Amino acid sequence: MKKGYIWGIIVVLVVIAAVVVYFATRPPTIARPIKVGIIDCYSGPAAVYGKDALNGFKLALEEINKEGVLGNKIEFTTRDTKFKVDIALNMAKELVMRENVDVLVGTINSGAALAVSDAVAKKEKVPFMVWISKSERITGEKGHRYVFSTGENTAMAGKAGGVALSKKPYVKYWIGGDDYSYGHDIANAAWRNLKALKPDVEVIGKSWWKPGEPDLVPYITAILGAKPDAVIFCTGGRSMTNIMKAVKATGMAEKVPIWIHSATDHAVLKPLGAEAPEGVLGTMDYHFYYPDTAANREFVKKFEAAYGNPPGFPAFHGYITAHFIAEAFKKAGALDREKFIDALEGLKIASPAGEIEMRACDHQVVLPMYLGVTKKSPKYGFVIATDIVTLAGDEVLPTCEEIAEARKKK
Amino acid sequence: MEIGQAFTVSALGSQFLVGLSRAMILFIVSAGMSFVLGVLRVPNVAHGSLYMIGAFAAFSISNLLGGGTAGFWLALILAPLVVALVSLIAERSLFCHLYEREHLMLLLFTFALMLILGDLVKMVWGADYRSIMAPELLQGSVNIFDSPFPRYNLFLLIIGPLVGIGLWLFSNKTKVGKIARAAAVDREMVGAIGINVSWVFAFAFVLGCFLAGLGGALVSPTISVTIGMDHDIIIEAFLIVTIGGLGNMWGALVGSLIFGLTQAFGILFWPQFAIVFPYIAVVIVLTWKPRGMLKSVW
């Protein structure tokens, strides 16, 4: 009888131990899905980019939610900012206050991104992942604990241009561009870096036109008349198509080397078709045809199957944003905003462009830049980037010290 | 601050030609606006939207026809007609009830129409950037004054005067044109002598809008066809019409030349601040001649 009593205790103890071990080693789970609130532009000219990013994000979520995050999944809600700063602010507040989202994501408008970063993310202590806007101030001088960027920015683009051009023999430069923040930011960043790497370069003239200026031919004829060694154009959006058309019509690229950030972007080149000029130097952080790796081919194949067209750079940013969120929550092990941020700092994930890192010091993703030359591709039937040179992420990012300096200055 | 460069004859000559070709587009669009303003007394803010519709229609038509040379030429003819049709519907259903209203009301009405048309364009064509190719013949550039001059701009230099001559012939040699001109000066009198002013107005409106559509179709191969084009052109067109003399078609020509040329030379002299040159010219003209360069019909 006594022996049976002891056996009974042993069995109970073993069961208790087994239960304890099970709960102690079992991966942590969360009680409710992770909620992501997306504010971006889904109407107006910028909607093309907003939708592309969202598609990339959705594609990633499908993969992520198949195996789940912390025993649950990631859900998202979107709000249309209509490219307006005030609407973006209201929507972001609404998502945080009423929808109680765990992470905010957005937007293409740099002004809106900066405003939300300051007035919502920082104030309400909600992590905000910026995925398309390119202002270097987001993770630069205006950066803080609650804002992250999963895209390239003007500092990286400018430095990529500066590094690329410093290896060329050109001395006399002409700078032209859209007379707004993006144009000037790119120009300043490119020139600062070029001048640092090659002190003998000089600017012989500058032209600034209004964004979307329909007739750029007079600018080009005036620039050609000044006979610079090379030209830096800093344009975006509508002006991008306009400048490419004007470059083609005047045959400018055959007369003088030109660098335009994002000139090699598929979204710019595709609609131009045969009208895209060849021989223009461009920089870009993603191409669906480059890098030609298994991971990228797989991503492009899935994206095309789902949406009928190849992913643009916003889709790539959307895709990695989702994976960063998932991996960071897995690492954090809890549905906690502060733990999420700690986990995201310095996090490395696999991406279609290889392994990428979320830099801890400034919350800026370290992405390589691809320098290429526009050339007609017999395979695709339109102009693509060729002779691509990869500039490593560390090479084109401002250093952590420079970021600290910029933030102190503010 | 770098002011200018070597002002060689060739640099001046090539800027002059480039500016002139831009002025041709501005002339075609603002002549239409001025015509409507003169005959109907309607400050049509939606004129820019019709210009945009012209460009989009040209895109669709040329795409529909395979995008080749024939497609382009047909688009150039058909797109303005599409715009004319749209404007005829707008005139008969909306505008014709409003002519007696005061200018402020009309201004607000056309402004509303601009917003509606802008959204309609977005619904029909979407927000993507579109591009049309000029036919082979008009691609590339020729060397004039030692500087590349796009063939397409050369083409514009031919089309502009043709449209001008056409307008002159219409308003001076045809009966409808003469009535329209008379209506611009004194519409009560025209009505009083038994002419159906309503149809004269409809005709004038459609013609003005046709010119907007033609301008849009003509400009489409040189830029990205996208929403927002309407805002770009409408301010320029209004300024041109104002400095030229309200409602005076030749004033629109003078205004366009002032606008296009000051911009082109501004770019040469002071490229960093080129944006402001046409506007400075506007200020100077309006200070010197507050009612515009030529006789205003108002």
Side-chain angles (χ1 to χ4, degrees), chain B residues 108-121:
Chain B
L108 283 174
F109 170 70
T110 57
F111 183 69
L113 194 66
M114 177 185 84
L115 297 177
I116 292 167
L117 288 177
D119 263 16
L120 276 179
V121 166

Side-chain angles (χ1 to χ4, degrees), chain B residues 232-279:
Chain B
D232 292 340
I233 195 86
I234 194 68
I235 295 168
E236 292 182 357
F238 250 115
L239 287 176
I240 286 165
V241 168
T242 313
I243 60 174
L246 290 176
N248 188 320
M249 234 154 33
W250 305 119
L253 179 60
V254 174
S256 304
L257 289 175
I258 291 174
F259 213 87
L261 290 176
T262 45
Q263 179 160 29
F265 285 121
I267 289 164
L268 188 65
F269 294 139
W270 207 353
Q272 273 174 290
F273 298 99
I275 297 175
V276 300
F277 278 85
Y279 301 97

Side-chain angles (χ1 to χ4, degrees), chain A residues 295-312:
Chain A
N296 195 20
R297 278 195 296 266
E298 172 75 13
F299 168 56
V300 173
K301 205 175 105 189
K302 275 197 218 157
F303 192 93
E304 279 186 324
Y307 308 108
N309 54 298

Side-chain angles (χ1 to χ4, degrees), chain A residues 136 154 157-158 181-191 233-234 259 261:
Chain A
E136 62 198 68
T154 46
S181 135
Y182 173 75
H184 286 278
D185 282 353
I186 293 264
N188 290 341
W191 193 251
F233 280 140
C234 312
W259 172 70
H261 175 59

Side-chain angles (χ1 to χ4, degrees), chain A residues 160-161 163-165 167-168 264 281-285 287 290-291 368-373 385-393 395-396:
Chain A
V163 168
L165 290 171
K167 292 169 183 160
K168 311 265 179 188
T264 42
L281 267 177
T283 33
M284 203 55 211
D285 66 330
H287 295 294
Y290 197 91
M369 281 283 184
Y370 304 112
L371 173 77
V373 184
T386 56
D387 305 327
I388 293 176
V389 179
T390 305
L391 302 162
E395 205 184 338
V396 294

Side-chain angles (χ1 to χ4, degrees), chain A residues 43-49 174 179 203-227 236-242 245-246 248-252 255 267-268 271-275, chain B residues 2 4-5 11 14-15 18-19 21-22 51 122 127-134 139-143 146-151 153 219-229 232 236 263-264 267-268 270-275 279:
Chain A
S43 53
V48 190
Y49 295 93
W174 190 289
D179 202 2
V203 180
I204 60 162
K206 288 182 181 172
S207 339
W208 296 106
W209 50 78
K210 65 172 194 279
E213 167 67 48
D215 192 19
L216 292 169
V217 171
Y219 290 92
I220 290 184
T221 48
I223 291 169
L224 287 175
K227 302 204 172 18
R238 277 191 293 155
S239 298
M240 198 68 205
T241 316
N242 295 354
K245 283 193 157 204
K248 173 84 174 177
T250 51
M252 185 185 189
K255 297 184 176 67
V268 170
L272 287 171
E275 263 195 308
Chain B
E2 304 83 10
Q5 44 177 293
S14 95
Q15 278 322 88
V18 172
S21 64
R22 171 71 185 154
Y51 160 87
K122 196 165 71 192
D128 297 350
Y129 300 138
R130 316 285 185 153
S131 178
I132 306 172
M133 234 197 293
Q139 284 175 21
S141 58
V142 288
N143 252 8
D146 214 20
S147 163
F149 188 72
R151 288 210 179 96
N153 290 47
V219 85
S220 60
T222 67
I223 60 166
S224 63
V225 176
T226 179
I227 46 184
M229 287 173 71
D232 292 340
E236 292 182 357
Q263 179 160 29
I267 289 164
L268 188 65
W270 207 353
Q272 273 174 290
F273 298 99
I275 297 175
Y279 301 97

Side-chain angles (χ1 to χ4, degrees), chain A residues 130-148:
Chain A
V130 180
W131 63 4
I132 320 180
S133 9
K134 296 184 178 185
S135 171
E136 62 198 68
R137 289 188 293 164
I138 294 166
T139 53
E141 57 175 88
K142 300 266 188 191
H144 53 81
R145 178 169 165 83
Y146 298 93
V147 71
F148 292 82

